[in-house]
Amino acid sequence: MNPDRDHGADPSQNSDHASIHDLVQEILDRPADDPRRLELLRTVRDDDAALHELNATAESLYELRARPIAPDLTSQILDAADARRRFLPARVRRWVVRGRLAAAAMLLFALGTLAIVERVAPGVTDFTPRPRTLSSIPAAFQHDATQSAAFVRSGVRQAGKALAPVVEQPGWAEEGTEVPTAWVLEVVGRDGSVYDTVMTFDPDARGEQSLRVFRTRRPEASSLLCIPEAPPVIAEPDTRSLP
Amino acid sequence: MERNAERKLIQGATKGDRACAEALIKAHQQSVYAYLLRLSGRHDVAEDIVQEAFVRVLTNLHRFDFRYRFSTWLFTIARRLYLNAMAKHRPAYDSDIVGGAQGTRDIPETDVFADERQSVCRDALQDALNTLSTEQREIIILFHQQDWSISLIAQHLDMPEGTVKSHLHRGRKRLRTTLESTEPLARMLAGVEA
């Protein structure tokens, strides 16, 4: 070993006190094409200790530069990326972005409108049911009843229209024909027009003597129709033509 | 890869060009895989993180700042994912696990290839690397494997350059000492087997 180099192998004045270790580290810290590195290498070529440390360290790092064979993950990566954010042409992506922005703007606009309406007329946008006062109950009941009746009437009219053609030849029902209880009856004239809708529960029990029960000839007609004896006037049915 | 060519690929991939994205992956997957493999010591961890890092990069390409290097960005994301994975499950440096984790990937599993894959993690260098601290290991890999400059590593790790150098010197010293101490044992074992 050259004793002169033990205390400072660097020819420059600043590195007079640098140790071998520091010198080796400096060499290793520099890129291979750095002129300063070459200069430092020249200074340690006669220093056994420095050379040993340099060689040993370089050898231990040599294997690190060998790149392992990496598996090709391209297709997995592309599929995963595509699933997360589609590869779309710029024009399509612009439309997607615009669509999202428009939806967001509409939502904001709706919320803003609601806020303004609420400010102008507080409570208007409150859709939660409120407790009613006692005096409002009869009115509400009447309203509900009217709505229910209208609903039933409309349903029966529909049914009556469907059944109208089957009463072309109505006749008196045989005495004792059973009238079902809780029956919704449509008053149907011979021309098939609907006169009225009545609800009956048990005509006999309630003394509805004016009602006569007709049966239709058609086997597929499953219901009975009740026609009042009094007006609306309908043609006298031919009882003998019926069974 | 030349920066202009890389820039074009990034712009293409941002516009939805799948071929550009593919070229970007092919250009960088080898280096980021090597970095992660040395960092973690496990093939399965390296593969998972490479995949996830690329997916994140590709789905956020529109945010890429062209003043920086693409590889630096990719490595930063990969590093963050690795640290997160480390925090969740501290990886066991077990080459047997690595060997057992093969077979489901879309790569040719020839004997030579499988041997190579296993030997990477069984080599003495990996064992020696695993004795270093995470910072020392990472700095040594970036500097000596990826040829990053000290200033770039300092920027990447958000550390002063002096600290990076200090970690690099200590890590190298420790690496050499560990390898020197294991070599005679390895030679002796080789002699006994022979």
Side-chain angles (χ1 to χ4, degrees):
Chain A
M1 189 192 299
N2 184 351
D4 291 338
R5 295 184 191 280
D6 281 345
H7 299 290
D10 194 327
S12 69
Q13 289 180 348
N14 291 339
S15 58
D16 281 343
H17 303 291
S19 66
I20 290 170
H21 177 73
D22 290 340
L23 189 64
V24 169
Q25 294 298 332
E26 196 182 345
I27 291 170
L28 290 169
D29 281 354
R30 290 181 180 278
D33 55 349
D34 188 340
R36 171 80 179 141
R37 180 187 163 109
L38 294 173
E39 204 177 302
L40 291 170
L41 277 172
R42 266 185 228 117
T43 63
V44 297
R45 67 185 169 192
D46 298 327
D47 191 324
D48 292 342
L51 272 180
H52 175 262
E53 185 172 340
L54 185 63
N55 284 335
T57 313
E59 201 176 310
S60 64
L61 294 167
Y62 175 75
E63 211 178 314
L64 196 60
R65 301 190 70 82
R67 294 280 175 91
I69 298 171
D72 188 5
L73 302 168
T74 312
S75 58
Q76 286 116 297
I77 292 167
L78 285 172
D79 291 347
D82 203 29
R84 227 175 275 182
R85 189 173 189 265
R86 287 209 157 277
F87 286 104
L88 293 174
R91 191 185 292 174
V92 177
R93 188 173 294 287
R94 264 201 299 277
W95 278 108
V96 170
V97 171
R98 280 178 194 165
R100 284 177 184 166
L101 283 175
M106 280 173 68
L107 185 68
L108 277 175
F109 178 73
L111 288 173
T113 309
L114 274 178
I116 291 167
V117 167
E118 183 63 31
R119 199 174 175 82
V120 172
V124 168
T125 56
D126 187 6
F127 300 112
T128 51
R130 293 181 182 179
R132 288 177 176 172
T133 55
L134 205 58
S135 59
S136 68
I137 290 176
F141 181 78
Q142 194 177 358
H143 174 74
D144 290 350
T146 312
Q147 281 206 328
S148 303
F151 176 75
V152 170
R153 195 173 293 125
S154 126
V156 168
R157 285 217 171 107
Q158 291 292 327
K161 279 174 188 167
L163 283 171
V166 306
V167 289
E168 285 166 359
Q169 290 182 310
W172 296 109
E174 286 175 14
E175 218 169 303
T177 300
E178 197 178 340
V179 177
T181 55
W183 197 258
V184 179
L185 303 169
E186 188 78 82
V187 182
V188 184
R190 291 196 67 180
D191 58 350
S193 58
V194 178
Y195 295 108
D196 200 2
T197 307
V198 289
M199 289 184 76
T200 179
F201 296 93
D202 186 347
D204 291 331
R206 291 180 64 194
E208 296 277 356
Q209 298 299 327
S210 59
L211 290 177
R212 291 290 180 269
V213 179
F214 281 77
R215 280 193 302 193
T216 67
R217 280 183 169 181
R218 300 194 178 180
E220 68 270 20
S222 58
S223 55
L224 298 168
L225 296 169
C226 295
I227 302 295
E229 198 173 55
V233 180
I234 56 172
E236 186 66 22
D238 181 10
T239 54
R240 278 163 287 278
S241 66
L242 287 172
Chain B
M1 181 185 280
E2 199 193 326
R3 288 194 81 167
N4 269 345
E6 191 172 79
R7 192 187 179 100
K8 279 180 186 168
L9 288 180
I10 294 167
Q11 285 170 337
T14 311
K15 285 176 186 167
D17 188 337
R18 204 180 156 99
C20 289
E22 190 176 338
L24 269 179
I25 296 168
K26 286 200 186 295
H28 291 282
Q29 68 173 343
Q30 171 83 32
S31 60
V32 74
Y33 178 81
Y35 160 71
L36 285 165
L37 182 63
R38 283 303 187 192
L39 206 57
S40 67
R42 291 179 51 161
H43 288 285
D44 54 346
V45 172
E47 281 182 27
D48 287 349
I49 295 176
V50 166
Q51 186 168 333
E52 183 57 28
F54 268 111
V55 170
R56 292 205 183 181
V57 161
L58 291 175
T59 49
N60 290 287
L61 265 183
H62 54 290
R63 293 182 189 156
F64 177 65
D65 187 341
F66 283 99
R67 285 175 300 173
Y68 301 101
R69 282 168 52 171
F70 178 76
S71 58
T72 315
W73 188 44
L74 175 65
F75 274 63
T76 305
I77 290 173
R79 176 175 182 267
R80 205 175 301 141
L81 288 169
Y82 169 70
L83 293 178
N84 288 346
M86 276 261 292
K88 276 185 191 168
H89 324 280
R90 196 157 182 82
Y93 299 109
D94 188 345
S95 52
D96 290 338
I97 292 174
V98 176
Q102 298 174 27
T104 54
R105 309 290 176 188
D106 192 18
I107 48 171
E109 289 290 350
T110 62
D111 288 347
V112 177
F113 190 78
D115 287 347
E116 195 281 334
R117 278 163 66 83
Q118 284 198 351
S119 68
V120 168
C121 277
R122 279 183 181 155
D123 62 26
L125 177 63
Q126 188 63 49
D127 291 341
L129 277 171
N130 293 343
T131 64
L132 305 181
S133 70
T134 308
E135 289 88 4
Q136 288 174 353
R137 186 162 65 240
E138 186 167 13
I139 290 167
I140 283 187
I141 293 166
L142 288 174
F143 189 81
H144 287 290
Q145 186 195 59
Q146 302 291 330
D147 288 329
W148 283 26
S149 68
I150 286 174
S151 61
L152 186 60
I153 296 172
Q155 193 188 324
H156 175 67
L157 300 179
D158 199 19
M159 272 183 198
E161 288 189 21
T163 313
V164 172
K165 270 192 180 178
S166 168
H167 279 304
L168 185 63
H169 295 181
R170 281 188 205 149
R172 270 198 305 237
K173 191 177 177 186
R174 192 165 175 187
L175 198 67
R176 185 170 63 83
T177 315
T178 311
L179 283 169
E180 277 179 351
S181 65
T182 54
E183 246 176 39
L185 180 67
R187 278 188 198 134
M188 191 183 76
L189 287 171
V192 168
E193 280 175 10

